[in-house]
Amino acid sequence: IMKTRGFGGLMIGYAGMQVRQFLWTGGFFLTLDWYKQQCGTVVSNKLAQDVISGFAAGATGTAINCWTDVCRSVVQKQALADTFDASKPRPSALEPLNPGPFFAAAGNIMSERGLTGLYSGVGPKMVHLGGSGAILAVLMPRFKTMWFDAMGLY
């Protein structure tokens, strides 16, 4: 990749990844406290509340960002295929920062396969990123408390 695409070749899909992360993180933190509040009315154990609400918030973030993962994969797959085609010119070093191919892939997928194409594989992604959200929701407040205690910040 470095020979045919340069350093930018290692960053293929960067723009799509940033959109993906922005949407997942926003969806997660936007809904986490709401899920904790709702879960608190049903479950009294704080750890269980954090696990359940973290999973739900992570799955919500995935529902918001799944389409970006699909588009990023398409862009990366095509760019890597172009790496082995000698007739394709070497792209600019700034090409990974260009969101154009990412949104073009979204438009193509939507027109060819509809919304279901954009949400291909959403179930496993929800389980994976829901689990990540659960871990984050469990560890974040506990590490924050430990840090503040250790630093005397209360």
Side-chain angles (χ1 to χ4, degrees), residues 38-127:
Q38 302 310 308
C39 194
T41 63
V42 180
V43 178
S44 61
N45 182 300
K46 290 288 186 195
L47 179 61
Q49 287 176 11
D50 287 346
V51 170
I52 295 166
S53 60
F55 185 90
T60 300
T62 306
I64 296 168
N65 89 343
C66 184
W67 67 274
T68 61
D69 235 2
V70 173
C71 297
R72 179 189 50 84
S73 296
V74 168
V75 168
Q76 286 177 325
K77 197 177 193 180
Q78 183 59 51
L80 290 174
D82 290 349
T83 299
F84 299 103
D85 186 351
S87 68
K88 300 279 182 167
R90 185 180 190 153
S92 158
L94 298 176
E95 181 63 23
L97 303 177
N98 180 5
F102 171 75
F103 289 112
N108 290 339
I109 294 168
M110 183 67 174
S111 67
E112 291 172 10
R113 298 188 315 179
L115 199 57
T116 57
L118 287 173
Y119 277 82
S120 178
V122 71
K125 288 175 188 164
M126 280 189 161
V127 171

Side-chain angles (χ1 to χ4, degrees), residues 13-22 68-69 72 76 102:
Y14 180 78
M17 183 58 75
Q18 292 307 307
V19 174
R20 172 194 181 274
Q21 192 60 44
F22 167 78
T68 61
D69 235 2
R72 179 189 50 84
Q76 286 177 325
F102 171 75

